[in-house]
């Protein structure tokens, strides 16, 4: 991949379109003895697996530099059903630091664009406990696994061996999202593009 910053293949819009990110789900140890998992549910499992394999091939299964920015934005957004949005994006400065750590040379002439991937979730009010429980487990353990989830035989299978260990996630409310310089501003502006 000439003139492509290492790690950007994870955010390849063509791959994500083919992979069909349809939902986000969560899993945790029944005795709270291990960090929780945030699962990215893919309609096309093989492509979803490839996205995570690309990252592991470049950087291993631990996002030491927090180059993948993960945020969960709760609250109503105009033009969308009630729920919350999961936003995956590249953190520009952290991605540069990560690339430098593996010896990549980035010059002024290199062209690259930050990508944003958004999935809107619609939990049943008063019933769904998945996100609140994930928050509690993350607060306790201080890390989580971001992993692909594949639908097979009517069930969801977490591909934990392809997961990426992360220590940072941003839990936010729609009302605190700022203007264009806010990393999550695209979530509010993309109301017509995000999955509904």
């Amino acid at each position: 991949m000439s003139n492509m910053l290492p790690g950007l293949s994870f955010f390849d819009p063509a791959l994500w379109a083919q992979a069909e990110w349809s939902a986000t789900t969560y899993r945790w140890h029944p005795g709270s003895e291990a960090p929780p998992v945030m699962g990215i549910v893919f309609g096309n499992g093989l492509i979803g697996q490839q996205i995570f394999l690309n990252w592991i091939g470049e950087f291993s299964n631990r996002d030491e530099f927090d180059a993948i920015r993960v945020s969960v934005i709760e609250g109503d957004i105009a033009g969308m059903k009630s729920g919350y949005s999961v936003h995956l994006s590249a953190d520009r400065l952290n991605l540069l630091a990560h690339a430098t750590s593996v010896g990549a040379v980035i010059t002024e002439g290199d062209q690259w664009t930050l990508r944003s991937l958004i999935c809107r979730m619609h939990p049943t009010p008063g019933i769904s406990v998945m996100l609140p429980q994930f928050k509690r487990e993350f607060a306790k353990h201080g890390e989580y696994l971001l992993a692909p989830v594949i639908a097979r035989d009517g069930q969801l299978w977490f591909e934990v061996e392809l997961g990426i260990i992360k220590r940072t996630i941003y839990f936010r409310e729609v009302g605190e999202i700022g203007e264009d310089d806010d990393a999550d501003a695209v979530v509010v502006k993309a109301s017509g593009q995000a999955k509904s």
Side-chain angles (χ1 to χ4, degrees):
M1 280 181 249
S2 61
N3 285 344
M4 179 176 278
L5 190 66
L8 281 186
S9 62
F10 183 85
F11 300 94
D12 185 326
L15 280 181
W16 279 85
Q18 293 175 58
E20 301 171 7
W21 179 14
S22 61
T24 305
T25 190
Y26 310 91
R27 188 170 80 175
W28 49 85
H29 189 281
S32 192
E33 296 175 9
V37 183
M38 171 183 272
I40 304 300
V41 182
F42 291 111
N44 186 327
L46 290 177
I47 302 298
Q49 290 172 332
Q50 189 58 55
I51 288 171
F52 279 77
L53 280 168
N54 287 348
W55 179 270
I56 292 171
E58 290 190 70
F59 294 129
S60 84
N61 70 334
R62 182 177 287 273
D63 187 7
E64 291 285 1
F65 288 81
D66 279 322
I68 301 171
R69 186 181 186 280
V70 182
S71 57
V72 175
I73 298 96
E74 297 181 77
D76 291 337
I77 297 176
M80 301 189 75
K81 296 178 185 176
S82 294
Y84 66 88
S85 297
V86 179
H87 180 209
L88 304 182
S89 60
D91 184 296
R92 181 185 179 96
L93 293 180
N94 291 350
L95 192 60
L96 284 170
H98 205 163
T100 300
S101 76
V102 295
V105 178
I106 310 302
T107 68
E108 292 288 332
D110 289 336
Q111 298 295 314
W112 56 285
T113 304
L114 293 184
R115 307 291 183 187
S116 281
L117 306 160
I118 305 165
C119 187
R120 185 75 174 169
M121 296 295 297
H122 310 290
T124 304
I127 296 178
S128 178
V129 299
M130 295 190 78
L131 179 58
Q133 184 64 32
F134 173 80
K135 287 181 175 182
R136 288 190 288 271
E137 294 295 322
F138 172 71
K140 175 180 178 178
H141 294 282
E143 67 178 28
Y144 64 101
L145 190 71
L146 181 68
V149 176
I150 313 303
R152 287 198 305 263
D153 304 322
Q155 296 185 43
L156 294 179
W157 297 85
F158 284 75
E159 305 283 349
V160 293
E161 70 281 359
L162 298 180
I164 300 166
I165 299 168
K166 292 192 56 60
R167 295 168 298 177
T168 303
I169 186 169
Y170 300 91
F171 296 112
R172 308 186 69 189
E173 296 288 336
V174 169
E176 69 185 64
I177 305 299
E179 297 299 322
D180 292 346
D181 59 345
D182 189 306
D184 292 311
V186 65
V187 174
V188 178
K189 292 181 177 181
S191 59
Q193 303 168 24
K195 297 181 185 297
S196 58

